Amino acid sequence: MEMTKGLVAILLTAILTQNFVLSKFLGICPFLGVSKKLNTAVGMSAAVIFVMALSTAVTYPINLFLESKDLAYLQTIVFILVIAALVQLVEIILKKYIPALYSALGIYLPLITTNCAVLGVVILNVDNGYGFAQSMFNSVGAGLGFMLAMVMFAGVRERMESCDIPKFMRGLPITLVAASLVSVSFLGFTGIVENIFG
Amino acid sequence: MAEKKSLFKEFSKGIVIENPVLRLVLGTCPTLATTTSVRSALGMGLAASIVLVCSNIVISALRKVIPSKVRIPAYIVVIAAFVTIVQMLVKAFTPELDEQLGVYLPLIVVNCIILGRAEAFAGKNPVLASAVDGLGMGVGFTAALFLMGTVREVLGAGSFLGMSIPVLSQNPMLIFILPPGGFFVFGMLMACVNRLAEHRGKPRAELRGCEACPMAATCKLHSEETPAEPQEKEATA
C-alpha cells in the first residue's frame, strides 16, 4: 500500500507540480515549435511518452551495470547513444511490423533523439536514486505532463491566431508570454501532492 | 589581413547579428532554466562555450574522416565526451555550481546550439575558423544568458551576483525567479530585440523550428510542414 502510494505520488508530481515543460523547462523546442495544431501536438507527445518509457526501461539495467563497474561518469555519453540507437531501432521495427503506428508516430521519432526531455528524465531518475518501478512511473508521468502542457498550449495558440496583437509582440514574444501564463496556472498545483499523500 | 578580417567577422557575428539565443532562437531550454541567478547563468554560459569551442575544433579537424551518413551520431559522441569532461571539472572545482545547474549540465549534450554549429559550420570549415566561430557563438550565448539572469535576479531576488540591492531587496518580485517569470522575461526580451531589428531593417527573429533544427535533414516532419507555412503567413497578414 505504502509502495503504491509512493508511486502515485511520483506520477502526480511529474505531471502536475514538477511539470517537465512548464516548471523544468525541458523539451521547450517541441513545446514552442510543434504546438501550432492540436493533432501534431498529440502525435508528438504520444511519441515522447513512448520513447521516454522505453529508454527508461533500457537505460535502467545499463546504469546498474555502469555503477557496478565504477563507470558512472560515462552515464551522459552512454545514455545519449543508447537513446539515439533505440529511436532508430524503434523506427525500423515500427516501419516493418506495425505500419499503422508508424504512420501515426514515425515522423516525430527522429526529432525526439535530440530532445532534452528524454535524456533529462533518464538522468533525473538516476540522480534521484529511483528504483525500476519508480523510474518507470516518473518517466510516464513526465511524458503525460508533456502531453498535458502541449495539448493545453495548442488550445491557447489556436485562439491566439485570431487575436489582435500589438505589432512588436507578434510571433514569438506573445507565444512566450502565453506560455508564461499557462505556467502560472500550473503554479496553482504547488503543494497539492504533499497535501494528498502527506 | 583579409583573412584576419574574416576571422573577426566569424567571431563577431555570433555576438550580435546571429546571436544564438536572441536571433536564431536556439538553446531555449538552458536559457529559461538556468537564468534564475546571474551566477548560474554565467556558469551555464561558460560551460556551454567551452564545450562549443572544443567540439567545434575536434569536429572540424575530423570533417574529412567522418562519413556524411553517420555524421550526426559522430558529432553527438564528440560533444558528449567534452560535456563529460566539463561535468567532471565543474564537480571537482565548483561543487555549488554543479548543484545549481543540476541536470542541465549533462543536458548540454542536446543543446541545439552546439549540434547546430557542428552541422552548419564546423563540419564544412577549417579548424581555426571553426574555433573562432564557436568562441563567438559561446560569447553570444553567455551574453544573452547574463542579460536574462540579471533581469531575473534583480527583479526576482533583489540582488546582483548575490549582493543585495538596497530598495529592491525589501520586496522582491518572486515570480521572476519562478518558471513563469522565465517565459515572461524571455518573451519581453525577444520583443525588444525584434523591435531593434526592425528599426535596422533586419528580419524579426522567429522560432524557425524545423529550419534551425540540426535534425532537419533526416526529419520528415520538416518536409511536411514547409508547404503549409505560406498559407499561415497570409492568414496573419
Side-chain angles (χ1 to χ4, degrees), chain A residues 176-189:
Chain A
L176 285 163
V177 173
S180 163
L181 292 177
V182 175
S183 175
V184 169
S185 71
F186 270 71
L187 276 186
F189 291 118

Side-chain angles (χ1 to χ4, degrees), chain B residues 81-166:
Chain B
F82 282 112
V83 169
T84 310
I85 295 170
V86 168
Q87 216 180 332
M88 289 162 105
L89 288 175
V90 170
K91 269 200 182 109
F93 293 106
T94 51
E96 46 165 341
L97 185 66
D98 179 55
E99 215 161 87
Q100 276 175 345
L101 294 180
V103 70
Y104 300 101
L105 195 56
L107 284 183
I108 298 176
V109 180
V110 282
N111 188 322
C112 340
I113 299 174
I114 297 172
L115 195 57
R117 283 334 280 173
E119 172 83 352
F121 198 92
K124 295 172 194 143
N125 287 288
V127 177
L128 189 61
S130 303
V132 173
D133 171 79
L135 195 65
M137 285 287 163
V139 171
F141 181 59
T142 314
L145 286 190
F146 177 73
L147 202 62
M148 281 271 294
T150 311
V151 173
R152 288 181 73 186
E153 195 184 330
V154 167
L155 292 176
S159 61
F160 180 74
L161 270 171
M163 294 174 289
S164 67
I165 297 165

Side-chain angles (χ1 to χ4, degrees), chain B:
Chain B
M1 193 60 210
E3 198 175 291
K4 232 180 201 170
K5 212 171 181 184
S6 75
L7 274 185
F8 181 72
K9 217 172 150 195
E10 300 296 357
F11 174 70
S12 62
K13 73 166 190 267
I15 302 176
V16 183
I17 308 169
E18 285 183 34
N19 187 297
V21 178
L22 299 172
R23 296 289 299 153
L24 303 181
V25 205
L26 294 173
T28 35
C29 301
T31 308
L32 292 165
T34 59
T35 51
T36 48
S37 72
V38 178
R39 200 176 297 246
S40 64
L42 282 179
M44 182 72 205
L46 280 180
S49 305
I50 294 170
V51 175
L52 186 53
V53 173
C54 295
S55 66
N56 257 10
I57 291 174
V58 170
I59 287 168
S60 111
L62 293 175
R63 71 185 186 282
K64 289 188 182 125
V65 186
I66 299 174
S68 74
K69 255 193 175 167
V70 293
R71 66 181 190 284
I72 301 248
Y75 295 165
I76 292 178
V77 175
V78 172
I79 296 167
F82 282 112
V83 169
T84 310
I85 295 170
V86 168
Q87 216 180 332
M88 289 162 105
L89 288 175
V90 170
K91 269 200 182 109
F93 293 106
T94 51
E96 46 165 341
L97 185 66
D98 179 55
E99 215 161 87
Q100 276 175 345
L101 294 180
V103 70
Y104 300 101
L105 195 56
L107 284 183
I108 298 176
V109 180
V110 282
N111 188 322
C112 340
I113 299 174
I114 297 172
L115 195 57
R117 283 334 280 173
E119 172 83 352
F121 198 92
K124 295 172 194 143
N125 287 288
V127 177
L128 189 61
S130 303
V132 173
D133 171 79
L135 195 65
M137 285 287 163
V139 171
F141 181 59
T142 314
L145 286 190
F146 177 73
L147 202 62
M148 281 271 294
T150 311
V151 173
R152 288 181 73 186
E153 195 184 330
V154 167
L155 292 176
S159 61
F160 180 74
L161 270 171
M163 294 174 289
S164 67
I165 297 165
V167 183
L168 285 170
S169 60
Q170 305 264 309
N171 291 304
M173 290 176 264
L174 189 64
I175 189 92
F176 278 102
I177 54 173
L178 291 175
F183 282 115
F184 185 75
V185 172
F186 192 41
M188 285 303 162
L189 212 56
M190 290 306 302
C192 296
V193 171
N194 277 350
R195 190 75 202 263
L196 280 177
E198 254 174 15
H199 262 278
R200 308 207 160 189
K202 297 261 163 57
R204 308 161 58 96
E206 272 308 322
L207 188 76
R208 295 191 240 166
C210 283
E211 284 146 61
C213 173
M215 304 298 284
T218 56
C219 173
K220 288 165 211 113
L221 193 64
H222 176 49
S223 47
E224 250 185 30
E225 280 223 330
T226 341
E229 289 283 329
Q231 292 176 346
E232 272 176 25
K233 264 179 200 146
E234 274 167 28
T236 45

